[in-house]
Amino acid sequence: DAGITQSPRHKVTETGTPVTLRCHQTENHRYMYWYRQDPGHGLRLIHYSYGVKDTDKGEVSDGYSVSRSKTEDFLLTLESATSSQTSVYFCAISGGGQNNSPLHFGNGTRLTVT
Amino acid sequence: TQLLEQSPQFLSIQEGENLTVYCNSSSVFSSLQWYRQEPGEGPVLLVTVVTGGEVKKLKRLTFQFGDARKDSSLHITAAQPGDTGLYLCASRWGATNKLIFGTGTLLAVQP
């Protein structure tokens, strides 16, 4: 298995509080991604990174920010959590820029906003 | 906006039956990937198809990329309970390395 660790694995937080999810990789891969998964929507891309300090928005980036200060860590922050952000969050990594490079996923973080 | 639409959304079948799930888009893709996700885990890549009309087989799974590279199908022969899971298609968004996923097909194979 690709070396991807997401933390925490589960979190319950209150509306309006800030939350940061961490993705750590040991593969030295260039590309890192944050997705959210909700019933009926498959996986939706929030943000992705194509290198240290290089990030770009995905399909559902509103309400989220990211940072990548070093290759191995990609942080996802919810500045002020809302109930609509209750979801399962997956981090993924990819080594190549080729069109058919596969993604390797972590095991997810289940976030509940009450 | 979901660029990749999958059908059916849910499928419950008996062990030994055959099934086909579909992934469709109005856009042309240079390549398409299929993933399977089991409960509590992240998706795992099954196959990548690149060429229009391409057919790839993975044991009892047959993947096909449409001639126009706007659709793909996954056919499972003699389904087993171990095939149960969420099947997702995915492709790159435009000229970027953003990988966009379809809506998914949740398959349950009953013993």
Side-chain angles (χ1 to χ4, degrees):
Chain A
D1 292 343
I4 309 169
T5 305
Q6 292 187 230
S7 58
R9 290 297 312 276
H10 303 272
K11 186 169 182 68
V12 180
T13 192
E14 294 184 348
T15 298
T17 60
V19 177
T20 295
L21 309 183
R22 180 182 184 235
C23 178
H24 179 76
Q25 60 143 331
T26 58
E27 305 297 317
N28 201 35
H29 281 352
R30 176 181 177 185
Y31 298 89
M32 298 186 76
Y33 305 77
W34 275 110
Y35 290 89
R36 62 177 288 175
Q37 186 169 39
D38 306 287
H41 290 280
L43 285 161
R44 291 182 291 175
L45 181 64
I46 304 171
H47 282 282
Y48 94 117
S49 171
Y50 48 97
V52 174
K53 296 185 180 179
D54 292 323
T55 64
D56 197 3
K57 296 180 179 180
E59 305 167 272
V60 289
S61 60
D62 288 348
Y64 302 95
S65 63
V66 289
S67 66
R68 192 165 177 204
S69 59
K70 45 187 178 177
T71 299
E72 57 265 36
D73 289 326
F74 193 31
L75 304 180
L76 177 70
T77 297
L78 291 66
E79 300 291 347
S80 178
T82 67
S83 57
S84 65
Q85 293 176 310
T86 292
S87 187
V88 180
Y89 292 84
F90 285 95
C91 173
I93 65 174
S94 175
Q98 297 90 346
N99 222 356
N100 55 358
S101 297
L103 262 59
H104 302 279
F105 285 84
N107 285 329
T109 294
R110 183 173 295 275
L111 176 67
T112 302
V113 183
T114 61
Chain B
T1 302
Q2 202 82 38
L3 301 177
L4 293 170
E5 295 291 335
Q6 292 186 241
S7 61
Q9 191 173 1
F10 301 102
L11 192 55
S12 180
I13 62 171
Q14 295 296 124
E15 181 176 0
E17 293 184 15
N18 301 330
L19 68 117
T20 302
V21 299
Y22 301 92
C23 175
N24 295 288
S25 173
S26 57
S27 302
V28 175
F29 295 102
S30 58
S31 66
L32 195 94
Q33 298 177 349
W34 283 94
Y35 290 77
R36 180 170 67 208
Q37 183 180 19
E38 299 187 13
E41 300 180 4
V44 175
L45 179 71
L46 294 173
V47 77
T48 300
V49 286
V50 179
T51 306
E54 181 177 4
V55 176
K56 281 192 173 179
K57 292 191 175 184
L58 184 65
K59 298 182 180 179
R60 293 175 292 98
L61 279 61
T62 301
F63 303 85
Q64 184 161 7
F65 202 13
D67 290 340
R69 291 187 285 119
K70 296 170 66 173
D71 57 272
S72 181
S73 63
L74 159 58
H75 182 80
I76 301 179
T77 302
Q80 303 295 312
D83 296 326
T84 292
L86 179 67
Y87 289 82
L88 295 156
C89 63
S91 189
R92 252 68 185 181
W93 186 359
T96 72
N97 283 306
K98 304 178 190 181
L99 194 68
I100 303 301
F101 283 79
T103 47
T105 292
L106 185 60
L107 172 65
V109 182
Q110 311 296 334

